[in-house]
Amino acid sequence: MTRFRPCIDLHAGSVKQIVGGTLTDADASLKTNHVSTLPAGHFATLYKEHNLTGAHVIMLGPGNQDAAREAVEAWEGGLQVGGGVTDENARQWIEWGAEKVIITSFLFPSGTFSLHRLQSVLHALGDDKSKLVIDLSCRRRQKSWYVAMNKWQTITDMELNQDSISLLEPYCSEFLIHAADNEGLQAGIDQLLVQKLAEWCSIPVTYAGGGRSLEDLEMVKKLSGGKVDLTIGSALDIFGGSGVKFEDCVKWNRERARIGTAWACKEH
């Protein structure tokens, strides 16, 4: 059943909400929606209090490790961590308290997918794919989507489709997919991508990019048949947004869980 999943996006050590397509090595190009005065640990504790499992912490560039560690220590075993994860530090993040690690760029040396690198990360995790999330954040290219890396600025050789999803599913426990062209714009979700993800994926998948309201949660549920989760960031009041209240997203999840439990009891 579709649920709301929160995030903690870190940039230069602070919790920020940015316009995804503007994130480059040149800070002058960065467009920021919100910079929180509260530390990463605050949001981790908030999510823990409301049992918002599956939340992800994304380190956008250097200088974010301390803030990410603060978050996973605040909710040990409850958060997924991504951004700069490799076969050399994946196990370390689990030991520091992350529930799972998220990888993208490491899998694409020079923009080309490397199965060997994926296998090396999995091996570093003791071949436990339950600890691994693959981030296939992407950008539109005409009628297709291609995986984007390096702060979503480099388009890789991997097209997001049934073949690529089927190739990767045996190595991970879920997918995280940012629609980078929609990220931070609060202009609505990529509806076709949500539909395709539900069609292609047989493991849990979270979509992020453009979510702005409870209506978007309902839309994702309808479009995906309840198979795709939704992250809402910039539109949330806790991140300075006016589109949706955090407490309403929490209530939405609780109501979906209640309905799911009721159906399960009915079937038995």
Side-chain angles (χ1 to χ4, degrees):
M1 181 67 72
T2 295
R3 60 190 173 120
F4 159 71
R5 292 213 207 186
C7 60
I8 302 173
D9 291 346
L10 300 171
H11 181 261
S14 297
V15 177
K16 295 183 182 181
Q17 285 294 314
I18 65 170
V19 178
T22 69
L23 185 62
T24 68
D25 291 331
D27 287 342
S29 66
L30 184 68
K31 293 183 180 179
T32 303
N33 290 327
H34 179 72
V35 180
S36 179
T37 58
L38 299 170
H42 164 82
F43 295 98
T45 300
L46 180 66
Y47 301 161
K48 180 180 180 180
E49 289 173 349
H50 294 287
N51 194 34
L52 293 171
T53 57
H56 52 269
V57 180
I58 303 296
M59 296 178 284
L60 299 169
N64 295 303
Q65 179 171 294
D66 289 346
R69 286 195 63 180
E70 176 188 326
V72 298
E73 287 170 3
W75 190 6
E76 186 172 352
L79 299 169
Q80 303 173 3
V81 176
V85 175
T86 71
D87 55 357
E88 294 184 352
N89 62 13
R91 169 54 60 182
Q92 181 66 77
W93 278 107
I94 299 299
E95 292 174 353
W96 280 337
E99 178 197 14
K100 304 183 183 188
V101 292
I102 307 168
I103 54 169
T104 306
S105 295
F106 180 71
L107 301 183
F108 296 90
S110 302
T112 301
F113 174 68
S114 169
L115 180 59
H116 173 72
R117 285 199 171 195
L118 174 55
Q119 292 170 329
S120 70
V121 172
L122 190 58
H123 182 67
L125 295 171
D127 294 318
D128 183 359
K129 72 176 186 177
S130 71
K131 298 296 184 184
L132 185 60
V133 179
I134 296 180
D135 183 337
L136 296 177
S137 295
C138 58
R139 306 197 80 154
R140 286 291 289 263
R141 287 296 179 266
Q142 297 179 339
K143 295 182 180 180
S144 301
W145 300 268
Y146 281 83
V147 177
M149 55 180 265
N150 290 337
K151 304 174 184 176
W152 304 319
Q153 298 305 309
T154 301
I155 306 300
T156 73
D157 67 344
M158 179 173 280
E159 182 179 353
L160 193 58
N161 55 30
Q162 183 65 75
D163 288 341
S164 56
I165 291 293
S166 296
L167 170 67
L168 298 172
E169 279 193 344
Y171 298 94
C172 63
S173 59
E174 59 183 280
F175 293 113
L176 171 62
I177 298 174
H178 292 81
D181 296 313
N182 297 60
E183 182 72 18
L185 296 177
Q186 302 179 57
I189 63 173
D190 186 331
Q191 296 185 32
L192 181 57
L193 179 56
V194 169
Q195 287 179 301
K196 289 297 185 181
L197 293 176
E199 177 184 327
W200 296 333
C201 300
S202 63
I203 62 176
V205 54
T206 299
Y207 168 92
R212 57 188 173 179
S213 64
L214 290 180
E215 287 73 22
D216 282 329
L217 274 166
E218 290 287 352
M219 182 180 295
V220 168
K221 179 170 71 74
K222 180 179 179 180
L223 291 172
S224 71
K227 293 177 63 177
V228 177
D229 291 342
L230 176 65
T231 293
I232 301 176
S234 295
L236 280 176
D237 58 349
I238 60 173
F239 295 129
S242 58
V244 60
K245 293 181 179 179
F246 174 77
E247 64 182 56
D248 289 339
C249 290
V250 172
K251 290 178 182 177
W252 197 91
N253 273 13
R254 287 176 178 166
E255 179 64 16
R256 301 288 83 69
R258 186 189 65 78
I259 293 172
T261 300
W263 272 106
C265 293
K266 184 177 180 181
E267 289 178 355
H268 287 85

